[in-house]
Amino acid sequence: MLNAQEAEALILELVCPLHRERDVETVDLGVARDRILAATVASQLDFPHWDNSAMDGYAVRYADVQDCPVVLEIVEEIPAGVQPKKSLQSGQAARIFTGSVMPNGADTIVIQENTQRDRDRVTILQSPQFQEFVRQRASFYNAGNPLLSPGIAIGAPEMAILAAAQCTQFQVYRRPRVAILSTGDELVTPDSPLQPGQIVDSNQYALSTFVAQNGALPLPLGIVRDRAEQLKQTIAQAIISADIVLSTGGVSVGEYDLVDRILGELGGELHVRSVAVKPGKPLTVATFPHQKHPCLYFGIPGNPVSALVSCWRFVQPALKKLSGLSNYQPQWIIARSRDELRGAVKRETYLWGQLTFLEGKPEFALARGSKSSGNLIDLAQTTALARVPLGEKSIAAGEEVWVMLI
Ligand code: AMP
Ligand code: MG
């Protein structure tokens, strides 16, 4: 059985990221939020576009203001958004404001606090540095150079940069398609009155949300009964229509656990059958080498907690890598555990809870209630998984623990 690190590395290696030419679409700036850039963006504009003032004050010639105080003639006022009309001659100054374009002939700004004004004259009280408070054209960015690189997600700063650069349309990766199916004779939809023994298919909702939160398109295929023919048909359809398939249930060793056999019949190569983790030990990962379009199959345990923990731990980095994101590795940090954390010794154990901060220091607070993988109720508000390593019985309250952010 693979350990968690081996499984993670193997899964990431199996991922075929979306293609930088075939798997892209053009989007408008207004709807680009959270999309992933597929091509380098460059701008035809320099930043700043013009030499401009960083402060309210006076544009001057440095040569005129080396021996202060000195009186200069104000020949123009330059509000923001206006092109200066005059070229400064020796002995002249222009009133200027933050962001206003520098007039020709001026090379330095004197802030208004260091001046005294008298109608069309200004006394410069204190010598500035050469070029002080001038933002030079192209000092932030030179037109034509790469501005944003492929593989980054578009958030608020990137939106601002793209807008400022007047990039109103650009290429992003298409959203990965993720088929989701729930297997089990006991499953019903949330709107069905429960007969004895029936269970609501909560995984369909959990996994669809998880997929959407990761920027992918969920393709919900519903509940499939534990019948080989029906299951085979649905899985066959899923693997041709999706980049990733997530099925829950049917991968342990129960009599009705048909998924692995069916994957084999459909030409699947099984790379992972189980991982030494708790929860989530039964985990099937398969690829379909005979299929033209790559598909990564995850057969996930049916227990609602195991299902989500497996998604967070193993599917999430794979999905991010497939999406084209360059930063897809799971994020681990060290936190102090508020509670005692018990491990399963023979398996790396994940305990769900919340990462909080106490006086700036990260702390992990274990979820309350039963740690049964069937107890989905206490999974609410989970933001992190704490890890008790293989071979360790427990981590005492107050000790440090590695925590994965989800
Ligand atoms: P399995 O992995 O199929 O053996 O299922 C393990 C447990 O998880 C059983 O108690 C199932 O009833 C439950 N389960 C399986 N699939 C789902 C699902 N889609 N939603 C909620 N619970 C499920
Ligand atoms: Mg089942």
Side-chain angles (χ1 to χ4, degrees):
M1 190 164 31
L2 296 175
N3 68 36
Q5 286 68 35
E6 290 164 342
E8 177 189 319
L10 175 57
I11 290 167
L12 283 172
E13 210 157 289
L14 293 172
V15 172
C16 290
L18 293 178
H19 193 273
R20 275 170 69 167
E21 277 144 32
R22 288 193 301 274
D23 293 317
V24 298
E25 55 197 39
T26 303
V27 286
D28 290 335
L29 177 63
V31 292
R33 182 174 60 134
D34 294 338
R35 301 303 298 269
I36 298 161
L37 274 181
T40 303
V41 171
S43 176
Q44 293 320 305
L45 299 169
D46 287 327
F47 281 87
H49 315 320
W50 304 280
D51 289 354
N52 70 75
S53 174
M55 300 295 263
D56 293 338
Y58 293 86
V60 300
R61 299 163 69 97
Y62 179 67
D64 288 348
V65 292
Q66 291 181 34
D67 292 316
C68 285
V70 60
V71 178
L72 301 175
E73 180 198 0
I74 301 166
V75 293
E76 189 177 10
E77 179 162 312
I78 312 166
V82 166
Q83 171 73 31
K85 292 176 199 68
K86 295 196 175 134
S87 195
L88 282 200
Q89 309 299 317
S90 184
Q92 296 183 334
R95 176 74 170 125
I96 202 163
F97 303 93
T98 306
S100 296
V101 177
M102 289 290 285
N104 281 335
D107 52 26
T108 301
I109 297 293
V110 178
I111 57 172
Q112 64 191 28
E113 291 85 340
N114 293 343
T115 64
Q116 202 162 37
R117 178 144 184 188
D118 180 17
R119 286 182 298 259
D120 62 347
R121 313 230 148 234
V122 62
T123 306
I124 308 298
L125 302 170
Q126 207 176 304
S127 275
Q129 310 261 323
F130 179 54
Q131 294 185 338
E132 199 170 11
F133 297 121
V134 178
R135 298 183 192 135
Q136 305 285 349
R137 174 177 183 157
S139 58
F140 304 160
Y141 168 79
N142 261 304
N145 283 340
L147 185 59
L148 294 173
S149 312
I152 63 170
I154 300 172
E158 293 75 21
M159 277 292 212
I161 294 163
L162 290 159
Q166 298 191 318
C167 297
T168 52
Q169 281 198 325
F170 40 85
Q171 303 250 286
V172 296
Y173 290 105
R174 68 173 172 81
R175 293 185 189 277
R177 289 185 293 267
V178 182
I180 299 164
L181 57 121
S182 302
T183 73
D185 284 342
E186 73 280 32
L187 302 177
V188 294
T189 55
D191 52 359
S192 315
L194 287 184
Q195 303 298 321
Q198 291 188 327
I199 284 179
V200 173
D201 171 20
S202 57
N203 287 348
Q204 191 85 213
Y205 291 83
L207 270 52
S208 293
T209 306
F210 159 79
V211 164
Q213 282 179 330
N214 280 282
L217 280 179
L219 309 174
L221 299 183
I223 298 167
V224 189
R225 302 285 157 221
D226 292 317
R227 303 282 177 283
E229 263 323 296
Q230 197 193 341
L231 195 53
K232 189 169 174 179
Q233 227 177 26
T234 312
I235 292 178
Q237 184 207 333
I239 63 178
I240 57 165
S241 47
D243 302 295
I244 288 183
V245 178
L246 305 177
S247 69
T248 60
V251 286
S252 50
V253 288
E255 211 172 318
Y256 298 101
D257 295 338
L258 300 164
V259 171
D260 287 7
R261 201 188 77 209
I262 288 172
L263 292 174
E265 289 171 13
L266 291 171
E269 193 178 321
L270 271 60
H271 304 270
V272 178
R273 303 288 295 272
S274 60
V275 185
V277 293
K278 186 185 174 192
K281 181 172 105 176
L283 177 72
T284 292
V285 181
T287 54
F288 302 85
H290 305 298
Q291 191 174 276
K292 204 171 133 222
H293 138 89
C295 176
L296 191 57
Y297 192 103
F298 288 90
I300 294 167
N303 268 314
V305 172
S306 314
L308 268 179
V309 170
S310 301
C311 283
W312 287 325
R313 181 68 187 89
F314 296 112
V315 179
Q316 187 156 265
L319 181 51
K320 285 185 175 173
K321 183 176 181 188
L322 189 137
S323 313
L325 264 184
S326 13
N327 184 10
Y328 55 78
Q329 299 288 353
Q331 291 179 302
W332 290 92
I333 68 162
I334 294 176
R336 202 183 69 85
S337 182
R338 280 195 200 161
D339 310 281
E340 186 193 22
L341 306 174
R342 298 233 176 100
V345 188
K346 289 190 174 149
R347 293 189 266 158
E348 181 162 303
T349 303
Y350 303 121
L351 293 150
W352 47 100
Q354 292 184 347
L355 186 76
T356 56
F357 289 87
L358 187 71
E359 289 168 357
K361 298 201 179 87
E363 285 205 341
F364 178 76
L366 186 62
R368 293 168 169 280
S370 158
K371 297 300 161 304
S372 152
S373 55
N375 175 19
L376 97 108
I377 301 305
D378 293 303
L379 208 54
Q381 299 295 295
T382 296
T383 59
L385 296 177
R387 180 184 74 173
V388 183
L390 208 62
E392 280 184 36
K393 242 195 195 142
S394 68
I395 293 175
E399 295 286 300
E400 287 187 337
V401 61
W402 280 98
V403 169
M404 194 184 90
L405 305 178
I406 58 168

